[in-house]
Amino acid sequence: MATALFFLAIVHTFLSSRFKAWSHRLQEEHSRKVELGRAPDGSSSIGAGILHFLGEMEVIFGWWAVALGVAMVGARGWDTFIHHVTERNFTEPVFVVVVMALAASRPILVAADAVIARVARLFGNSVSVWWLTIMSLGPVLGSFITEPTTMTISALLLSRRVFSLPVSSRFRYATLGLLFVNVSVGGTLTPFAAPPILVLAHTWHWDLAYTLGAFGWKALLGIAIANTAYALIHRRELHAVEAEHRLQQLRRKVQADFIPREEAADAVGVALGIADIEVRFLDTVRERAATMKERLRRAAQESSVHEGAVTDELIDQTLDERFEEVAAQELAKSVPGLLPAGTGVEVVDPAWDEREDPVAWWVTVVHGSFLVWTVTTAQYSAMFVGGLLLFLGFASVTGQYQNRTDLKPPLLVGFFLAGLVVHGGLQGWWIAPLLAALTELPLMLGATVLTAFNDNAAITYLSSLVPDFSPRL
């Protein structure tokens, strides 16, 4: 019965995108009902919410673990279920929750972003250098700040530095495909950052020295070879957008130096207090802030940065872009109903990469210390969970440097791994003889095929259930 439920969970993972598609369809139907007055304003479809929940990849194994619990209680009683769960080791899932929460904090993200930017500038600051640095250094950081975190940083940097340029769809897809692979293998330098290795490290006694020697240097070599090959294949396209890349850098410098986001927000706030809501609101806001924009324009024109490619037209354009962006954000907070339809501005906590205020060095050091503590005490959940509670308190005290702590992504990943642990403890009877009967090549090919359709951690966890695996296997 447990194995049947486990295979149903695997089938469910194949259907996750279908559940989300059904969810979107139901929500669209409900939205039409709201427009026609047949459903309350502001309401949402409960059925769509349930289907979306069932389509979340990280929830699937946890959901079927609940089904397993019901089946076990029905077949063997409550005591058997309690015994099964309490005999499982949930240290790794809890560790993943903690380390992902720490690594996704703004000081860590800003520090990692700054490291990549400094290396890129050190080697020439061209678009080719930026591309190579993001694709090489970004994935390697995944071995220290977790793969989801470094994926976020790398994707955002690619979006700002490369994909904002007029590059082809072919190059964009090639870059994303390579980034997925690089991040996946770049997390193998350490035993604590990538879930597929984390679920094996304790069982097979893998430490930092082992992962570096067995996988790490090979991953670095593979990333270097792949990136070099891609850079050579697309070298003409990268060279063609170099002039536009330089112009974008100048525009960013003008915005950062002469119209900081915070100063623009203050100007819009003053305008909001004066504008007459009964007339054209956005036009009124723009008029009231014109004085500030003119002052900033004069400062930019008189600055030493105003030379060469930095024309008056460029200054006007960058100032207008920044002002319109901040005005829309401030209006969304104050009077969202007055924004034009389709503006698409959400009232959320500012993203870590959109804030321009610096993070104090000592805050970054403390965050790094929490990460080190978590990794050092990785086998003792009481220690690193206590560290997480202290971290949340520290983040609250230093709120001016932080963004809102979002625990949902790490909790979902932890829930997935915990569900895997609950299921896995009952699968050894068939998976051990099956995998042990395979030789190296069929095992490698089978894992390669399966990982294209299923989660890497789920597949490697199954191998941890085989007690007599040789090192080669």
Side-chain angles (χ1 to χ4, degrees):
M1 187 185 296
T3 300
L5 292 172
F6 180 72
F7 275 103
L8 285 174
I10 292 176
V11 172
H12 189 165
T13 63
F14 283 86
L15 298 174
S16 62
S17 61
R18 299 294 297 274
F19 278 98
K20 288 191 175 180
W22 295 332
S23 168
H24 294 154
R25 194 177 308 159
L26 268 183
Q27 186 56 47
E28 288 173 2
E29 291 176 1
H30 184 83
S31 298
R32 284 194 289 270
K33 290 180 181 179
V34 172
E35 291 175 2
L36 296 172
R38 295 193 303 216
D41 288 342
S43 64
S44 58
S45 170
I46 301 297
I50 293 173
L51 286 173
H52 185 83
F53 176 74
L54 292 175
E56 289 282 1
M57 184 67 74
E58 295 86 357
V59 170
I60 291 172
F61 275 93
W63 172 257
W64 285 97
V66 174
L68 174 64
V70 173
M72 191 177 291
V73 170
R76 300 296 183 189
W78 176 255
D79 290 341
T80 301
F81 176 60
I82 291 296
H83 176 75
H84 173 69
V85 173
T86 54
E87 286 295 303
R88 307 276 73 78
N89 184 354
F90 293 98
T91 301
E92 281 82 6
V94 178
F95 173 81
V96 167
V97 173
V98 175
V99 78
M100 283 185 64
L102 293 172
S105 62
R106 181 175 176 251
I108 296 296
L109 290 169
V110 169
D113 180 57
V115 168
I116 294 175
R118 180 158 296 186
V119 171
R121 294 188 180 101
L122 184 65
F123 287 96
N125 215 18
S126 68
V127 65
S128 299
V129 167
W130 269 100
W131 185 88
L132 277 170
T133 304
I134 296 168
M135 300 295 287
S136 303
L137 187 55
V140 172
L141 288 174
S143 286
F144 305 95
I145 60 174
T146 76
E147 290 179 350
T149 306
T150 197
M151 188 71 203
T152 300
I153 294 172
S154 301
L156 283 170
L157 284 173
L158 281 173
S159 176
R160 286 204 307 253
R161 298 289 180 174
V162 181
F163 289 174
S164 58
L165 302 170
V167 292
S168 67
S169 295
R170 176 174 175 267
F171 175 70
R172 293 168 190 262
Y173 277 112
T175 297
L176 284 177
L178 181 60
L179 181 65
F180 293 150
V181 176
N182 284 357
V183 169
S184 194
V185 300
T188 61
L189 277 68
T190 65
F192 55 79
I197 287 188
L198 179 66
V199 297
L200 299 172
H202 179 67
T203 303
W204 290 349
H205 310 292
W206 288 354
D207 57 13
L208 179 61
Y210 180 85
T211 52
L212 274 174
F215 314 115
W217 69 269
K218 300 171 188 175
L220 294 175
L221 182 60
I223 289 172
I225 292 172
N227 286 349
T228 302
Y230 271 62
L232 289 173
I233 292 170
H234 297 282
R235 64 187 183 281
R236 291 181 180 175
E237 185 160 9
L238 288 169
H239 179 72
V241 296
E242 181 59 39
E244 179 65 25
H245 169 69
R246 296 290 181 184
L247 186 60
Q248 276 196 6
Q249 288 183 312
L250 287 169
R251 290 167 63 181
R252 287 193 186 97
K253 181 171 178 57
V254 170
Q255 285 186 340
D257 288 350
F258 302 108
I259 184 163
R261 196 179 298 269
E262 294 76 16
E263 195 170 345
D266 290 342
V268 174
V270 171
L272 284 171
I274 302 172
D276 181 3
I277 328 180
E278 296 179 359
V279 298
R280 297 174 64 192
F281 191 82
L282 285 173
D283 290 343
T284 308
V285 171
R286 295 186 186 110
E287 290 169 8
R288 296 297 181 181
T291 304
M292 173 199 172
K293 290 177 65 179
E294 185 58 37
R295 177 177 59 82
L296 291 169
R297 184 178 287 107
R298 286 198 302 270
Q301 290 170 338
E302 295 169 0
S303 168
S304 58
V305 77
H306 184 209
E307 56 188 36
V310 186
T311 62
D312 289 345
E313 181 182 0
L314 175 65
I315 292 173
D316 283 344
Q317 185 181 8
T318 53
L319 290 174
D320 287 338
E321 284 178 0
R322 170 56 58 87
F323 184 82
E324 294 294 331
E325 169 196 353
V326 174
Q329 299 249 350
E330 294 300 311
L331 284 169
K333 296 176 188 176
S334 306
V335 276
L338 293 175
L339 278 174
T343 302
V345 177
E346 296 182 5
V347 185
V348 294
D349 195 32
W352 65 272
D353 62 310
E354 292 178 356
R355 292 175 56 179
E356 292 172 352
D357 54 307
V359 177
W361 66 267
W362 58 270
V363 174
T364 303
V365 169
V366 172
H367 277 243
S369 301
F370 276 115
L371 266 178
V372 172
W373 168 262
T374 302
V375 172
T376 305
T377 61
Q379 299 304 320
Y380 310 101
S381 57
M383 305 288 278
F384 61 71
V385 168
L388 174 65
L389 298 177
L390 286 174
F391 163 78
L392 292 174
F394 177 78
S396 177
V397 171
T398 57
Q400 60 181 321
Y401 301 112
Q402 311 282 350
N403 278 105
R404 180 175 57 87
T405 303
D406 186 6
L407 292 177
K408 179 184 174 181
L411 283 172
L412 280 175
V413 175
F415 186 57
F416 163 76
L417 292 176
L420 197 58
V421 170
V422 172
H423 282 287
L426 297 171
Q427 310 305 321
W429 69 272
W430 66 271
I431 196 68
L434 176 64
L435 293 185
L438 296 175
T439 56
E440 287 90 341
L441 184 59
L443 184 64
M444 184 67 178
L445 292 176
T448 302
V449 171
L450 284 174
T451 196
F453 303 99
N454 226 296
D455 187 84
N456 293 351
I459 293 167
T460 54
Y461 180 77
L462 292 177
S463 63
S464 71
L465 303 176
V466 185
D468 53 352
F469 244 15
S470 68
R472 284 180 62 85
L473 288 172

mmCIF file of all heavy atoms in Angstrom, residues 249-255 257-258 296-297 299-311 314-315:
data_model
loop_
_atom_site.group_PDB
_atom_site.id
_atom_site.type_symbol
_atom_site.label_atom_id
_atom_site.label_comp_id
_atom_site.label_asym_id
_atom_site.label_seq_id
_atom_site.Cartn_x
_atom_site.Cartn_y
_atom_site.Cartn_z
ATOM 1 N N GLN A 249 24.984 51.249 -19.028
ATOM 2 C CA GLN A 249 25.781 51.508 -17.831
ATOM 3 C C GLN A 249 25.802 52.995 -17.489
ATOM 4 O O GLN A 249 25.695 53.374 -16.314
ATOM 5 C CB GLN A 249 27.209 50.993 -18.029
ATOM 6 C CG GLN A 249 27.326 49.475 -18.019
ATOM 7 C CD GLN A 249 28.763 49.027 -18.155
ATOM 8 O OE1 GLN A 249 29.493 49.507 -19.017
ATOM 9 N NE2 GLN A 249 29.171 48.112 -17.312
ATOM 10 N N LEU A 250 25.924 53.838 -18.516
ATOM 11 C CA LEU A 250 25.915 55.284 -18.286
ATOM 12 C C LEU A 250 24.565 55.739 -17.733
ATOM 13 O O LEU A 250 24.489 56.561 -16.824
ATOM 14 C CB LEU A 250 26.230 56.020 -19.581
ATOM 15 C CG LEU A 250 27.695 55.947 -20.057
ATOM 16 C CD1 LEU A 250 27.822 56.478 -21.465
ATOM 17 C CD2 LEU A 250 28.602 56.717 -19.104
ATOM 18 N N ARG A 251 23.486 55.186 -18.272
ATOM 19 C CA ARG A 251 22.159 55.566 -17.798
ATOM 20 C C ARG A 251 21.970 55.168 -16.337
ATOM 21 O O ARG A 251 21.398 55.922 -15.543
ATOM 22 C CB ARG A 251 21.100 54.905 -18.674
ATOM 23 C CG ARG A 251 21.033 55.486 -20.078
ATOM 24 C CD ARG A 251 20.218 54.638 -21.026
ATOM 25 N NE ARG A 251 18.832 54.560 -20.616
ATOM 26 C CZ ARG A 251 17.915 53.860 -21.284
ATOM 27 N NH1 ARG A 251 18.265 53.171 -22.366
ATOM 28 N NH2 ARG A 251 16.672 53.841 -20.881
ATOM 29 N N ARG A 252 22.445 53.979 -15.971
ATOM 30 C CA ARG A 252 22.323 53.551 -14.572
ATOM 31 C C ARG A 252 23.121 54.477 -13.651
ATOM 32 O O ARG A 252 22.698 54.785 -12.546
ATOM 33 C CB ARG A 252 22.827 52.115 -14.416
ATOM 34 C CG ARG A 252 21.890 51.065 -15.001
ATOM 35 C CD ARG A 252 22.282 49.674 -14.527
ATOM 36 N NE ARG A 252 21.490 48.660 -15.198
ATOM 37 C CZ ARG A 252 21.882 47.981 -16.272
ATOM 38 N NH1 ARG A 252 23.076 48.230 -16.790
ATOM 39 N NH2 ARG A 252 21.100 47.078 -16.825
ATOM 40 N N LYS A 253 24.288 54.903 -14.125
ATOM 41 C CA LYS A 253 25.116 55.774 -13.290
ATOM 42 C C LYS A 253 24.453 57.130 -13.082
ATOM 43 O O LYS A 253 24.454 57.681 -11.977
ATOM 44 C CB LYS A 253 26.502 55.958 -13.930
ATOM 45 C CG LYS A 253 27.431 56.846 -13.104
ATOM 46 C CD LYS A 253 28.833 56.818 -13.633
ATOM 47 C CE LYS A 253 29.728 57.757 -12.825
ATOM 48 N NZ LYS A 253 29.737 57.442 -11.387
ATOM 49 N N VAL A 254 23.842 57.668 -14.144
ATOM 50 C CA VAL A 254 23.142 58.945 -14.026
ATOM 51 C C VAL A 254 22.000 58.829 -13.028
ATOM 52 O O VAL A 254 21.810 59.683 -12.152
ATOM 53 C CB VAL A 254 22.613 59.406 -15.402
ATOM 54 C CG1 VAL A 254 21.682 60.593 -15.252
ATOM 55 C CG2 VAL A 254 23.784 59.774 -16.312
ATOM 56 N N GLN A 255 21.213 57.743 -13.123
ATOM 57 C CA GLN A 255 20.091 57.551 -12.198
ATOM 58 C C GLN A 255 20.577 57.402 -10.763
ATOM 59 O O GLN A 255 20.028 58.001 -9.842
ATOM 60 C CB GLN A 255 19.278 56.325 -12.606
ATOM 61 C CG GLN A 255 18.406 56.556 -13.827
ATOM 62 C CD GLN A 255 17.508 55.371 -14.113
ATOM 63 O OE1 GLN A 255 17.776 54.269 -13.660
ATOM 64 N NE2 GLN A 255 16.455 55.593 -14.859
ATOM 65 N N ASP A 257 23.413 58.387 -9.402
ATOM 66 C CA ASP A 257 24.120 59.550 -8.863
ATOM 67 C C ASP A 257 23.207 60.750 -8.644
ATOM 68 O O ASP A 257 23.416 61.531 -7.706
ATOM 69 C CB ASP A 257 25.250 59.960 -9.813
ATOM 70 C CG ASP A 257 26.407 58.970 -9.779
ATOM 71 O OD1 ASP A 257 26.393 58.096 -8.879
ATOM 72 O OD2 ASP A 257 27.296 59.052 -10.639
ATOM 73 N N PHE A 258 22.187 60.928 -9.494
ATOM 74 C CA PHE A 258 21.464 62.191 -9.483
ATOM 75 C C PHE A 258 19.973 62.080 -9.163
ATOM 76 O O PHE A 258 19.338 63.094 -8.943
ATOM 77 C CB PHE A 258 21.642 62.901 -10.832
ATOM 78 C CG PHE A 258 23.072 63.149 -11.152
ATOM 79 C CD1 PHE A 258 23.714 62.434 -12.142
ATOM 80 C CD2 PHE A 258 23.799 64.073 -10.415
ATOM 81 C CE1 PHE A 258 25.055 62.656 -12.406
ATOM 82 C CE2 PHE A 258 25.130 64.301 -10.683
ATOM 83 C CZ PHE A 258 25.772 63.580 -11.676
ATOM 84 N N LEU A 296 17.711 68.510 -10.428
ATOM 85 C CA LEU A 296 18.555 67.337 -10.626
ATOM 86 C C LEU A 296 19.172 67.331 -12.024
ATOM 87 O O LEU A 296 20.309 66.920 -12.213
ATOM 88 C CB LEU A 296 17.730 66.060 -10.407
ATOM 89 C CG LEU A 296 17.301 65.810 -8.963
ATOM 90 C CD1 LEU A 296 16.278 64.694 -8.897
ATOM 91 C CD2 LEU A 296 18.507 65.447 -8.113
ATOM 92 N N ARG A 297 18.429 67.831 -12.992
ATOM 93 C CA ARG A 297 18.950 67.885 -14.357
ATOM 94 C C ARG A 297 20.153 68.829 -14.427
ATOM 95 O O ARG A 297 21.164 68.517 -15.057
ATOM 96 C CB ARG A 297 17.847 68.341 -15.312
ATOM 97 C CG ARG A 297 18.266 68.342 -16.778
ATOM 98 C CD ARG A 297 17.117 68.757 -17.693
ATOM 99 N NE ARG A 297 16.123 67.693 -17.791
ATOM 100 C CZ ARG A 297 14.935 67.734 -17.207
ATOM 101 N NH1 ARG A 297 14.591 68.786 -16.485
ATOM 102 N NH2 ARG A 297 14.079 66.742 -17.346
ATOM 103 N N ALA A 299 22.151 69.592 -11.965
ATOM 104 C CA ALA A 299 23.269 68.959 -11.255
ATOM 105 C C ALA A 299 23.958 67.931 -12.140
ATOM 106 O O ALA A 299 25.191 67.823 -12.159
ATOM 107 C CB ALA A 299 22.767 68.296 -9.967
ATOM 108 N N ALA A 300 23.177 67.169 -12.886
ATOM 109 C CA ALA A 300 23.760 66.159 -13.765
ATOM 110 C C ALA A 300 24.563 66.803 -14.887
ATOM 111 O O ALA A 300 25.640 66.336 -15.257
ATOM 112 C CB ALA A 300 22.663 65.270 -14.346
ATOM 113 N N GLN A 301 24.045 67.901 -15.433
ATOM 114 C CA GLN A 301 24.740 68.564 -16.530
ATOM 115 C C GLN A 301 26.058 69.186 -16.083
ATOM 116 O O GLN A 301 27.007 69.266 -16.851
ATOM 117 C CB GLN A 301 23.828 69.632 -17.132
ATOM 118 C CG GLN A 301 22.648 69.048 -17.896
ATOM 119 C CD GLN A 301 21.633 70.102 -18.273
ATOM 120 O OE1 GLN A 301 21.577 71.164 -17.660
ATOM 121 N NE2 GLN A 301 20.806 69.804 -19.272
ATOM 122 N N GLU A 302 26.119 69.621 -14.816
ATOM 123 C CA GLU A 302 27.332 70.263 -14.319
ATOM 124 C C GLU A 302 28.347 69.254 -13.802
ATOM 125 O O GLU A 302 29.485 69.591 -13.532
ATOM 126 C CB GLU A 302 26.965 71.225 -13.176
ATOM 127 C CG GLU A 302 26.105 72.393 -13.642
ATOM 128 C CD GLU A 302 25.532 73.174 -12.463
ATOM 129 O OE1 GLU A 302 25.828 72.772 -11.311
ATOM 130 O OE2 GLU A 302 24.808 74.138 -12.705
ATOM 131 N N SER A 303 27.939 67.986 -13.677
ATOM 132 C CA SER A 303 28.810 66.983 -13.077
ATOM 133 C C SER A 303 29.889 66.539 -14.051
ATOM 134 O O SER A 303 29.775 66.670 -15.259
ATOM 135 C CB SER A 303 27.990 65.766 -12.633
ATOM 136 O OG SER A 303 28.827 64.697 -12.320
ATOM 137 N N SER A 304 30.943 65.946 -13.475
ATOM 138 C CA SER A 304 32.032 65.438 -14.299
ATOM 139 C C SER A 304 31.599 64.242 -15.131
ATOM 140 O O SER A 304 32.242 63.874 -16.111
ATOM 141 C CB SER A 304 33.206 65.020 -13.406
ATOM 142 O OG SER A 304 32.786 64.041 -12.471
ATOM 143 N N VAL A 305 30.481 63.581 -14.725
ATOM 144 C CA VAL A 305 30.012 62.435 -15.491
ATOM 145 C C VAL A 305 29.448 62.852 -16.836
ATOM 146 O O VAL A 305 29.298 62.056 -17.744
ATOM 147 C CB VAL A 305 28.947 61.639 -14.703
ATOM 148 C CG1 VAL A 305 27.598 62.351 -14.740
ATOM 149 C CG2 VAL A 305 28.771 60.237 -15.281
ATOM 150 N N HIS A 306 29.123 64.167 -16.957
ATOM 151 C CA HIS A 306 28.517 64.677 -18.187
ATOM 152 C C HIS A 306 29.602 64.894 -19.227
ATOM 153 O O HIS A 306 30.096 66.004 -19.429
ATOM 154 C CB HIS A 306 27.755 65.967 -17.895
ATOM 155 C CG HIS A 306 27.034 66.491 -19.101
ATOM 156 N ND1 HIS A 306 26.797 67.818 -19.295
ATOM 157 C CD2 HIS A 306 26.497 65.861 -20.155
ATOM 158 C CE1 HIS A 306 26.159 67.995 -20.439
ATOM 159 N NE2 HIS A 306 25.963 66.810 -20.973
ATOM 160 N N GLU A 307 29.992 63.794 -19.871
ATOM 161 C CA GLU A 307 31.025 63.891 -20.888
ATOM 162 C C GLU A 307 30.834 62.749 -21.878
ATOM 163 O O GLU A 307 30.229 61.726 -21.580
ATOM 164 C CB GLU A 307 32.411 63.797 -20.251
ATOM 165 C CG GLU A 307 32.601 62.531 -19.439
ATOM 166 C CD GLU A 307 33.903 62.526 -18.662
ATOM 167 O OE1 GLU A 307 34.315 63.597 -18.188
ATOM 168 O OE2 GLU A 307 34.482 61.449 -18.542
ATOM 169 N N GLY A 308 31.342 62.907 -23.060
ATOM 170 C CA GLY A 308 31.269 61.840 -24.045
ATOM 171 C C GLY A 308 29.847 61.461 -24.385
ATOM 172 O O GLY A 308 29.061 62.259 -24.885
ATOM 173 N N ALA A 309 29.515 60.174 -24.112
ATOM 174 C CA ALA A 309 28.213 59.624 -24.505
ATOM 175 C C ALA A 309 27.066 60.119 -23.649
ATOM 176 O O ALA A 309 25.904 59.900 -23.975
ATOM 177 C CB ALA A 309 28.264 58.098 -24.457
ATOM 178 N N VAL A 310 27.354 60.806 -22.535
ATOM 179 C CA VAL A 310 26.286 61.265 -21.644
ATOM 180 C C VAL A 310 25.752 62.594 -22.164
ATOM 181 O O VAL A 310 26.209 63.666 -21.784
ATOM 182 C CB VAL A 310 26.785 61.415 -20.193
ATOM 183 C CG1 VAL A 310 25.623 61.743 -19.269
ATOM 184 C CG2 VAL A 310 27.472 60.149 -19.749
ATOM 185 N N THR A 311 24.778 62.526 -23.035
ATOM 186 C CA THR A 311 24.199 63.712 -23.658
ATOM 187 C C THR A 311 23.046 64.246 -22.814
ATOM 188 O O THR A 311 22.546 63.583 -21.907
ATOM 189 C CB THR A 311 23.685 63.368 -25.057
ATOM 190 O OG1 THR A 311 22.658 62.378 -24.921
ATOM 191 C CG2 THR A 311 24.808 62.804 -25.921
ATOM 192 N N LEU A 314 20.180 61.935 -23.051
ATOM 193 C CA LEU A 314 20.292 60.759 -22.183
ATOM 194 C C LEU A 314 19.928 61.119 -20.742
ATOM 195 O O LEU A 314 19.229 60.368 -20.057
ATOM 196 C CB LEU A 314 21.715 60.200 -22.240
ATOM 197 C CG LEU A 314 22.021 59.034 -21.304
ATOM 198 C CD1 LEU A 314 21.200 57.812 -21.687
ATOM 199 C CD2 LEU A 314 23.500 58.699 -21.314
ATOM 200 N N ILE A 315 20.390 62.283 -20.271
ATOM 201 C CA ILE A 315 20.068 62.719 -18.910
ATOM 202 C C ILE A 315 18.557 62.858 -18.754
ATOM 203 O O ILE A 315 17.971 62.363 -17.781
ATOM 204 C CB ILE A 315 20.780 64.051 -18.599
ATOM 205 C CG1 ILE A 315 22.296 63.829 -18.526
ATOM 206 C CG2 ILE A 315 20.261 64.635 -17.291
ATOM 207 C CD1 ILE A 315 23.094 65.100 -18.388
#
